């Protein structure tokens, strides 16, 4: 999933593929270094606060039968996002912002563990979002069976499956991903170099391409439901059916929250996947100041996706906002 280190790691035949540096490249590298030093800590601060608050708020929302099952996925998503944020600070912020010396990585675990946690957290975030979306799709397609099909217990089981599958897919990084002292980079062991392309395409498929396709399909159903819900709400207002209109509004609000979250996720993460596909197909090396800036942009987009969900929930979900008021303003959720 990460080809940023591939630019300066030699092939099996040897040789270090780098582009000649110039004043423009030097300026781009300076900007790139400054961005990596400043932006990730800010994202970590706001993202950690948001993810912790999401877990806290969702504990209160589990008391409601209509959101109990979804709260399991929201909580799991916040925790996996936090794993991605924390691991990225070691794997990207320290290395790219401060060019940590080789002595820092003298233990291979300082390469392999952050890489494993980053990929594992990203996998979990992708598939938790898919699970949330299709849980909502079920409630739209079969509203009378949602209570039986979408329970807290089943939600926990599905999250457990996502955790185990993500672990199984990415655990190889713990023994295949090491530090190369001669190049001051983390990458695959030389004996696993021939598996690089296989692992990268596997990551792209399971980490983004397949989840993205499922999110597009699921959100198409939800968008259609939101449009119908809005039309129904307008009709109910005409007949002054306040109670029914209120219930329709709750359904509308939850669907909008998932749509906004999914679309934001796709916008922020797909560029990284497209970038890697282009590199894979064209064999362009991600070296040089300009390419480094592109890589920085797409990877920071992924970090923003891991730290922005709480704020998206506040903006798009009235039920979430009301529950959050209990913690920000010490008032009842319904006030």
């Amino acid at each position: 999933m990460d080809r940023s280190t591939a630019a300066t790691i030699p092939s099996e035949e040897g040789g270090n593929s780098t582009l000649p540096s110039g004043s423009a490249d030097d300026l781009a590298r300076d900007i790139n270094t400054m961005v990596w030093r400043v932006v990730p800590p800010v994202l970590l601060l706001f993202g950690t606060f948001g993810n912790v608050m999401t877990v806290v708020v969702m504990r209160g929302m589990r008391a409601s039968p209509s959101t109990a099952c979804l709260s399991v996925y929201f909580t799991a998503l916040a925790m996996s996002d936090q794993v991605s944020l924390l691991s990225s600070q070691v794997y990207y912020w320290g290395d790219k912002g401060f060019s940590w010396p080789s002595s820092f990585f003298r233990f291979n675990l300082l390469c392999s563990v952050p890489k494993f946690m980053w990929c594992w957290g990203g996998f979990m975030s992708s598939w938790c979002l898919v699970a949330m979306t299709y849980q909502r799709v079920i409630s739209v397609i079969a509203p009378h069976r949602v209570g039986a099909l979408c329970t807290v217990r089943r939600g926990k089981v599905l999250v457990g499956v996502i955790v185990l599958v993500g672990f199984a897919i990415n655990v190889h990084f713990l023994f295949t991903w090491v530090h190369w002292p001669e190049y001051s980079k983390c990458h695959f062991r030389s004996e696993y170099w021939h598996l690089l392309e296989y692992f990268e395409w596997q990551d792209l498929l399971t980490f983004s391409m397949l989840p993205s396709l499922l999110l597009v399909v699921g959100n198409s159903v939800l968008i259609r439901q939101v449009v119908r819900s809005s039309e129904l709400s307008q009709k109910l207002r005409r007949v002054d059916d306040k109670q029914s209109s209120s219930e329709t509004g709750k359904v509308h609000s939850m669907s909008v929250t998932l749509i906004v979250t999914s679309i934001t996720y796709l916008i922020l993460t797909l560029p990284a996947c497209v970038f890697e596909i282009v590199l894979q197909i064209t064999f362009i090396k991600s070296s040089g100041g300009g390419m480094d800036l592109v890589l920085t942009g797409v990877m920071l987009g992924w970090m923003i996706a891991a730290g922005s969900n709480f704020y998206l929930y506040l903006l798009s979900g009235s039920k979430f906002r009301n529950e959050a008021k209990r913690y920000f303003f010490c008032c009842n959720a319904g006030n």
Side-chain angles (χ1 to χ4, degrees), residues 17-254:
S17 177
T18 57
L19 297 179
S21 61
S23 59
D25 268 358
D26 291 340
L27 177 60
R29 288 192 181 96
D30 290 340
I31 295 174
N32 189 61
T33 299
M34 184 58 63
V35 169
W36 276 112
R37 288 182 179 181
V38 174
V39 177
V42 176
L43 293 179
L44 178 63
L45 176 63
F46 284 93
T48 299
F49 173 80
N51 289 328
V52 170
M53 286 304 304
T54 298
V55 174
V56 172
V57 172
M58 284 300 161
R59 289 185 63 184
M61 295 183 70
R62 288 185 185 181
S64 173
S66 61
T67 57
C69 182
L70 273 178
S71 68
V72 175
Y73 300 122
F74 276 108
T75 300
L77 177 60
M79 296 176 69
S80 60
D81 281 344
Q82 188 60 27
V83 168
S84 295
L85 275 178
L86 290 174
S87 59
S88 67
Q89 300 305 302
V90 175
Y91 194 71
Y92 289 104
W93 177 57
D95 184 37
K96 295 184 178 296
F98 299 94
S99 298
W100 287 356
S102 297
S103 58
F104 176 81
F105 294 102
R106 63 184 181 275
F107 301 110
N108 282 330
L109 287 178
L110 293 176
C111 272
S112 60
V113 172
K115 173 69 173 179
F116 164 69
M117 297 303 291
W118 165 262
C119 293
W120 189 18
F123 178 91
M124 290 167 57
S125 295
S126 300
W127 286 98
C128 282
L129 190 54
V130 170
M132 291 163 59
T133 300
Y134 278 85
Q135 191 275 342
R136 194 62 192 164
V137 168
I138 291 174
S139 69
V140 171
I141 297 177
H144 300 296
R145 300 192 61 194
V146 66
L149 295 175
C150 302
T151 64
V152 172
R153 183 176 180 275
R154 291 189 177 185
K156 290 180 178 180
V157 170
L158 183 55
V159 168
V161 170
I162 293 173
V163 169
L164 292 176
V165 173
F167 179 88
I169 288 177
N170 295 292
V171 70
H172 67 85
F173 286 116
L174 292 178
F175 59 89
T176 62
W177 197 259
V178 297
H179 182 245
W180 288 43
E182 60 270 38
Y183 298 100
S184 298
K185 293 290 181 181
C186 299
H187 215 275
F188 280 101
R189 291 181 183 270
S190 57
E191 59 265 37
Y192 296 108
W193 188 261
H194 64 287
L195 299 177
L196 173 62
E197 183 175 350
Y198 164 77
F199 282 131
E200 288 180 339
W201 280 103
Q202 171 193 280
D203 285 342
L204 286 175
L205 177 64
T206 61
F207 195 87
S208 183
M209 293 173 67
L210 183 55
S212 296
L213 177 61
L214 293 173
L215 285 174
V216 169
V217 174
N219 279 279
S220 298
V221 176
L222 292 181
I223 291 173
R224 184 179 180 184
Q225 180 266 341
V226 167
V227 172
R228 289 183 175 181
S229 177
S230 298
E231 294 174 350
L232 177 60
S233 181
Q234 292 177 0
K235 292 179 181 179
L236 292 174
R237 288 193 189 99
R238 295 192 187 106
V239 298
D240 199 27
D241 191 341
K242 296 182 180 180
Q243 182 177 359
S244 296
S245 180
S246 175
E247 292 300 319
T248 303
K250 291 179 181 179
V251 174
H252 179 280
S253 175
M254 185 60 68

